[in-house]
Each structure stands twice: as C-alpha cells, then as structure tokens.
Amino acid sequence: MKVRRIEVLEPQLANKIAAGEVVERPASVVKELVENSLDAGANSVTVEIKEGGAEYIRVTDNGSGITSEDVKTAFLRHATSKLHSVEGLDGIETLGFRGEALASIAAVSKVAMRTHTEEEEAGTLISIEGGSVKEYLPCGCPKGTSIEVRELFYNVPARLKFLKTPRGEAAAVGDYVLRLILGDTNVSFKFINNGKPVYHSAGDGSLENAIICVYGSETAEHIKPVHFDDGYVLIDGYCGDEYLAKSTRVQQSIFVNGRYIRSQQLSFAAQRAYNTRLMVGRFPFLALHIRISPREVDVNVHPNKLTVRFRDEERIASAVYMAVRQALESRATYEAPSENDEAKPEELYGIFHNDRTERAEETENIVPAPETERAPVTFAPAEPEPLFVRDSASSAPAAEVSDVNGVLHYLFPKEEKPEEKTEPIEFDLSPYSIVGVAFDTYIIVEQGESVFVIDQHAAHERIIYEKLIRDELRFESQLLLSSKVVTLSPTEFAVLMDNIERFRELGFEIEEFGASSVSVHAVPTGMKTGSVERLIHDMTAIIKRQGSVKELDLLRSALIRSSCKQAIKGGQMLDKRGIEEILSHYADGSTPLTCPHGRPVMVSFSRRDFEKLFKRIT
C-alpha cells in the first residue's frame, strides 16, 4: 500500500473545515456577528434576514467599529482583540472571543463589511467571497459596523441539504434574538424577517419591558420579580404564575453574566420551587439573570457556549430554588435565612438528585374553598336534565358544566399505569339508595348486599369521553364573534404555519397575522375562546416534540384531556339529581368502570366485608 504524504492544508480549505465547527446554520452566523457587536460596545443592533438567512443576513450596530488597518486582519483565523494570553481563558467576560468566526463565515459565503471608527474620517469596505478578498477600499458609512452575508454555503452545497425550511431557519434566528432582548436590556435590538419587523426592544434597561416586547403586554400581569443576593451569587429576574406555564421549557431563559445558557439542573431547581402549584407536564415561565465571578464559571465547556460549568453547581441550584420560592411567596427581596427559615437538607437534596418534578394532581390545581356546613341534598325532577354542580363554599345557583370546555385544551395524555385487576363490579338497574358523599368527592351508594364508592370526577370523565367517542371523533368549526390574535415565539410560529392543514382538520381557521402572530377566526365547536391561546401553544409543542403525529392520535389525546377538563372535580358538591344522572350511565353495564386514564371509577364492599372488618365474623 502506498504511503500517503502528510501535507498542510491550504488556508481556504482549512477555513471551510473550521467553518463546520462555527457555522452550522444561519442562526449561528447571526450569533457570532451579534456577539461581536455587543463586545464592540454597541447599544443598538439590527438583525435582518431573508429566506431564513440562507439567502441574506445583515447585522448592523453602532459599536466602536474596526480601524482600516485591522479590517483584513479581522478575517484571519485566530485573530481577536479579546484574548491575549492563556491566563485570560480563566476569566473570559466577553460573549465572543474565538478568532475563527469571521474567517469561517467568509469561507462559506459572500461577505461585505462596512465599518467606521470615531477616530477615522472615512469608513472601510471589504468584500470577500469564499475566503478571497474581492474589494478593499474607503467608503462612507455611519459609525459602527454592518456585515452582510449572502448565499450561505454557496460553495459547500452539501451543507445546504442539512438546513431546515426557510421558516424553520428564521424561527431559530428569531429565538436567538428573543434571548438577546431578554439577556441585555440596555441594548435596543431590532429583528426584521423578509422585510417585516418582528421585534424591536426599547433598550431602556427594564427586563419587564423586554418581556412585554417579546411575549406581549398580557404577560406583565402574570410575572413576579425575583431577587436574591447572598454575597456569592446575585439573581434577578422574573418568574411566571400558573397561567404562563407551558408544556415545554420554551419560555425559560437563564443567563449567566449576560450569556444565555441551558441548564437542566437550574431548570429543575426552579421547577421544585413551584412544588404542587403546577400540573404535571407544565413548566414555568422564567427570565433569570445570574451574576457570579467569572472565576466561578467555565464558559468553554462546549463550542456553542450554551453549556457552562460552575465551580459549585449545587450552591447555584440552591440559590435559584430559594430565589424562585421566595418570589412565589411574594417576598420581594432575599433575606438571610434564620434557623427556622433555612431550607431543610432533605428539601434541597431533591434539587440536586431528583430530576423528576413532583407529580401534581391529575386535575387542575384548585384553591380549597373555606370549610362550610354541607348543604342538604336537593331533589330533582324525574325527567333527565343536564348535570349540575354546586360549589360547597358558595350559595350561588348551580352552574351547568355540560358545555364543552375546550375540546382540544390539552394534547398530552398523561401516562398512567393501569390498576391491578380486581373482582368484577356489578352495579345494575335494581333499586339503590344514596347514602351520601364523602369529602365532596366520593359518592356512597347502597344496593342489595353491597356498598359502592364512586369517584365522581373519574365517573363523569368516562361519561363525557364516551359521548365524544360516539361522535366519531369529528370536529365542526364555530366562528368566533371576534378573531383572537395569538402571539407566538418564532419556533411556535414556524411549527404552526408548517402544519396549518392539521389545525384546519381539527376545526380551526387560522391565518398569519404579522411576523410572529396568528389570527384565529374559528375553533372546534363547543370550545371556549378562553382556551384558544393555551391550546395553540400546547399543540405546537407536541407537534414539534413528536414530529409527524397522526391526526387520530391527536384527536384521541385531545378527547382524553377534554373529558378530564370538562368533568366535575373533587370538592364540587353534587345534588341528588346529579348523582342519579351519573349512576344511570353505569347501571346498564355499557360504560367502562375506568376513566380514560385507566383509573377505577368505583369500588365495592360487600356486607361480608364490613362484618369481617368489625370482627362479627372471621
């Protein structure tokens, strides 16, 4: 076999290879350019893209600019103004310092940069194609730097097939700009996609205003300020209430010394602070800024800088937990814990060693009503009527709950382990007597030689589910009196628009409304308009997570969640008429004795069971 010589690669080929480490997609190009703008002291940055950024990217800033003599040097590999010694790696405070960024971008695209410093009379233009300088001359331009990147990967066509659709790539860029707005509130960011303004932040130093810019004005009503300072770590920001919780962590932004990061451990720590405030599968809104000595954090764990390593990660996680917990308890600022207030060791242990959040109730978290005397059971006319319930803490008239409360409100059926099989329960049409209701939840009925205990929520949930199934899984549309505008994240918007036909098959009429919003004109029949926004977020989340999902699977999941949401809850008092209506569905044996999740609807005890219990027989 012939021995191959080892040769040093040509600079252009080496730059193309290096580009693979830095330039993965348009969003990574934007990231590199914007970080350079911020490190240049800019307080105004505009990001413009076309066709997802593969065709055109322009990043313009009002930073310090680059001197004419350094312009060419800036495009050389390993050229940087931010690092001058090995020791400097241990205390990096700038966002970007890799010297190969501009060189790598220029190696796989057509780049034009205009830059102007305050000290020089004229600016400088440099044009590079595939790593080769085509133009280098003085030009007129404002102070700062503007870099245009055209035809990304034009000379590496194999890379193009790995890009997503233009809408998908634009979503990635938009998501990055979103984090920028939340990450540096002293900078005004503008994002323009295909000529349409998407975001334009004020740059006034207010994180609350930045949140409103990104998520809309309604969000301000549902966030709580976070502040924690123990001398080692400083945490500021906001956390959201239950209303803002989503089925993914898409609305969680954590920054360390101004750098956006992703950390499961810190996310879990914040989740623990909510305890049972959130339903299982829901994740809180977070916008947290963590300030710590650069010596206590390593930002060089991964080239994309999204992962960092803390010197004392457990202490940081504990601080996040305490900060969020205190915010939820409406304690505006951190106070040094007293002996009685300090978190218990076993409580903090769960932050570091239990990645699973505590399981909340299957139904919505309902604030318990004040205890009152049980209202007497009322009697209903013999003719069948809709099921009625009454709140045990209110003297208000009964409220009808047979209306559909969001047919597609949730799309994730909760995984439940089926109960162990027991002896078959025989509840039939023979006479029975209602003994009462225990804990406003469990109906107690005597029939013959047996006593039945029925979970009113599980029983009603199965009844609703069976009715929906008999409708053959079809959804009709109902027009809204006024269209509902829903603001989405760039990623959610891309997923929705790419799957718009799937939404239409479920009974929605949705059209694009602005750069990152949709207008909903019609919803599935029976669905309350108050559920629209949350539903859209949840549906886009499951489609993004699971990719291609059959419409039938979506429908079944939706039916299960819908029946759960419509069903009466534990703690709601039923009158006799409501109890009899529930029992009528199970008396003929046609309705399964499990809820759609697999939990039992009723259990039975025989006279003999009671006699054994009280030692009347052995």
Side-chain angles (χ1 to χ4, degrees):
M1 182 177 179
K2 184 178 180 181
V3 177
R4 298 195 177 196
R5 299 289 304 277
I6 298 175
E7 299 178 357
V8 177
L9 295 176
E10 295 180 358
Q12 290 185 358
L13 179 56
N15 282 340
K16 286 184 181 180
I17 295 173
E21 301 175 3
V22 179
V23 185
E24 299 176 357
R25 59 194 305 192
S28 58
V29 173
V30 172
K31 178 177 183 296
E32 296 294 341
L33 299 181
V34 171
E35 287 183 351
N36 283 338
S37 295
L38 297 178
D39 290 336
N43 60 18
S44 177
V45 179
T46 299
V47 176
E48 302 174 66
I49 64 170
K50 295 178 183 177
E51 296 300 317
E55 178 185 308
Y56 179 84
I57 297 171
R58 181 166 67 180
V59 175
T60 305
D61 67 60
N62 65 347
S64 59
I66 304 173
T67 63
S68 57
E69 61 182 358
D70 285 341
V71 166
K72 287 186 177 180
T73 306
F75 286 89
L76 298 178
R77 292 191 65 193
H78 310 306
T80 179
S81 62
K82 306 161 191 174
L83 189 65
H84 304 285
S85 66
V86 173
E87 290 75 15
L89 285 171
D90 295 329
I92 292 172
E93 298 184 38
T94 57
L95 293 173
F97 70 91
R98 293 192 306 273
E100 71 270 18
L102 287 179
S104 298
I105 294 170
V108 291
S109 64
K110 299 176 181 179
V111 175
M113 180 175 77
R114 293 172 176 83
T115 184
H116 189 184
T117 65
E118 194 167 321
E119 293 78 13
E120 295 182 317
E121 293 184 1
T124 304
L125 165 65
I126 186 170
S127 176
I128 300 176
E129 292 187 12
S132 300
V133 176
K134 300 298 182 182
E135 281 186 297
Y136 175 71
L137 66 159
C139 72
C141 62
K143 178 193 170 186
T145 302
S146 176
I147 300 182
E148 295 181 3
V149 179
R150 300 177 184 270
E151 299 181 47
L152 186 63
F153 301 134
Y154 81 99
N155 56 353
V156 194
R159 300 288 302 277
L160 289 173
K161 65 182 180 182
F162 291 99
L163 296 183
K164 296 183 178 180
T165 63
R167 188 177 284 125
E169 293 299 334
V173 175
D175 185 72
Y176 172 67
V177 176
L178 179 155
R179 311 297 176 182
L180 287 170
I181 292 172
L182 299 178
D184 196 336
T185 59
N186 291 309
V187 177
S188 174
F189 291 100
K190 183 186 291 186
F191 175 44
I192 302 172
N193 179 23
N194 290 330
K196 296 180 180 179
V198 181
Y199 300 128
H200 190 182
S201 64
D204 58 0
S206 168
L207 179 56
E208 181 177 2
N209 287 342
I211 291 172
I212 291 172
C213 169
V214 170
Y215 296 112
S217 58
E218 292 183 1
T219 306
E221 303 173 11
H222 301 281
I223 56 178
K224 298 190 175 189
V226 175
H227 181 75
F228 179 98
D229 187 357
D230 65 356
Y232 175 75
V233 58
L234 171 65
I235 302 175
D236 280 306
Y238 289 89
C239 63
D241 62 13
E242 294 85 347
Y243 176 83
L244 294 181
K246 294 287 185 290
S247 56
T248 69
R249 294 185 176 89
V250 67
Q251 288 194 351
Q252 293 188 358
S253 298
I254 300 176
F255 303 89
V256 175
N257 296 340
R259 184 189 302 276
Y260 171 65
I261 69 162
R262 293 175 185 164
S263 169
Q264 280 195 335
Q265 188 164 11
L266 298 189
S267 178
F268 289 141
Q271 186 91 17
R272 288 276 296 173
Y274 281 79
N275 198 9
T276 57
R277 286 182 172 90
L278 297 179
M279 292 178 60
V280 64
R282 310 297 292 182
F283 299 95
F285 173 95
L286 297 173
L288 301 179
H289 282 262
I290 299 173
R291 296 290 177 182
I292 190 172
S293 168
R295 302 285 177 178
E296 295 296 310
V297 59
D298 181 5
V299 301
N300 292 311
V301 178
H302 193 279
N304 63 19
K305 297 295 192 294
L306 290 176
T307 303
V308 300
R309 181 182 292 115
F310 296 100
R311 191 183 298 273
D312 190 346
E313 192 159 19
E314 292 192 357
R315 185 170 180 178
I316 302 299
S318 174
V320 169
Y321 168 80
M322 295 293 291
V324 175
R325 190 185 75 173
Q326 289 159 11
L328 295 174
E329 293 172 354
S330 298
R331 289 162 64 177
T333 58
Y334 169 74
E335 301 171 2
S338 64
E339 292 183 1
N340 296 328
D341 190 45
E342 190 169 2
K344 298 177 182 178
E346 62 269 22
E347 187 176 37
L348 294 181
Y349 179 86
I351 298 176
F352 311 125
H353 301 282
N354 183 8
D355 288 351
R356 298 182 62 185
T357 58
E358 292 190 358
R359 298 181 67 82
E361 292 294 328
E362 172 66 28
T363 57
E364 288 183 303
N365 295 323
I366 301 176
V367 179
E371 293 187 4
T372 60
E373 292 187 10
R374 179 185 300 277
V377 175
T378 58
F379 288 85
E383 61 269 24
E385 292 189 22
L387 178 65
F388 285 80
V389 298
R390 181 171 60 255
D391 188 286
S392 60
S394 172
S395 59
E400 185 174 344
V401 296
S402 61
D403 62 314
V404 179
N405 184 18
V407 174
L408 298 173
H409 193 74
Y410 284 98
L411 295 175
F412 290 103
K414 180 182 171 185
E415 294 294 332
E416 297 281 351
K417 292 185 178 179
E419 297 290 325
E420 295 181 3
K421 291 184 178 180
T422 57
E423 292 296 319
I425 296 175
E426 297 181 359
F427 181 78
D428 52 36
L429 293 173
S430 57
Y432 61 82
S433 60
I434 300 172
V435 177
V437 181
F439 312 116
D440 291 337
T441 300
Y442 303 102
I443 303 167
I444 303 173
V445 176
E446 180 182 347
Q447 186 182 62
E449 294 292 300
S450 299
V451 171
F452 299 88
V453 181
I454 298 98
D455 181 332
Q456 64 184 33
H457 170 71
H460 192 210
E461 187 179 3
R462 169 56 76 175
I463 293 169
I464 296 172
Y465 182 72
E466 292 298 310
K467 288 181 178 179
L468 291 170
I469 288 293
R470 286 194 293 272
D471 286 339
E472 299 180 353
L473 303 179
R474 292 177 182 172
F475 292 99
E476 301 295 333
S477 293
Q478 62 177 14
L479 289 174
L480 300 178
L481 291 177
S482 59
S483 298
K484 173 73 173 178
V485 176
V486 179
T487 301
L488 303 167
S489 72
T491 301
E492 290 173 325
F493 179 77
V495 170
L496 191 154
M497 297 310 296
D498 286 341
N499 294 274
I500 194 69
E501 288 302 320
R502 185 172 297 176
F503 282 81
R504 286 172 181 158
E505 290 171 4
L506 298 176
F508 288 90
E509 286 186 19
I510 301 175
E511 67 177 2
E512 186 175 348
F513 186 84
S516 195
S517 301
V518 294
S519 179
V520 182
H521 304 296
V523 297
T525 301
M527 178 180 171
K528 289 186 177 179
T529 57
S531 304
V532 173
E533 185 169 357
R534 192 170 186 176
L535 167 65
I536 296 295
H537 288 295
D538 286 350
M539 288 187 69
T540 55
I542 189 172
I543 295 174
K544 182 177 185 296
R545 178 181 296 175
Q546 297 189 5
S548 58
V549 181
K550 293 180 180 178
E551 279 71 18
L552 185 61
D553 291 338
L554 287 175
L555 292 174
R556 183 181 180 279
S557 300
L559 291 173
I560 291 176
R561 282 303 180 192
S562 173
S563 57
C564 180
K565 288 298 169 184
Q566 297 171 57
I568 59 173
K569 306 297 188 294
Q572 290 178 299
M573 290 182 63
L574 282 171
D575 59 19
K576 185 178 180 182
R577 178 177 59 181
I579 293 174
E580 289 176 339
E581 184 177 339
I582 284 181
L583 296 177
S584 68
H585 287 276
Y586 291 91
D588 62 359
S590 62
T591 304
L593 294 179
T594 58
C595 77
H597 305 284
R599 293 185 287 110
V601 163
M602 68 173 68
V603 295
S604 66
F605 302 90
S606 66
R607 177 190 290 271
R608 185 177 179 82
D609 291 331
F610 283 102
E611 290 175 343
K612 285 184 177 181
L613 182 65
F614 290 98
K615 309 299 182 184
R616 288 178 174 268
I617 62 174
T618 57

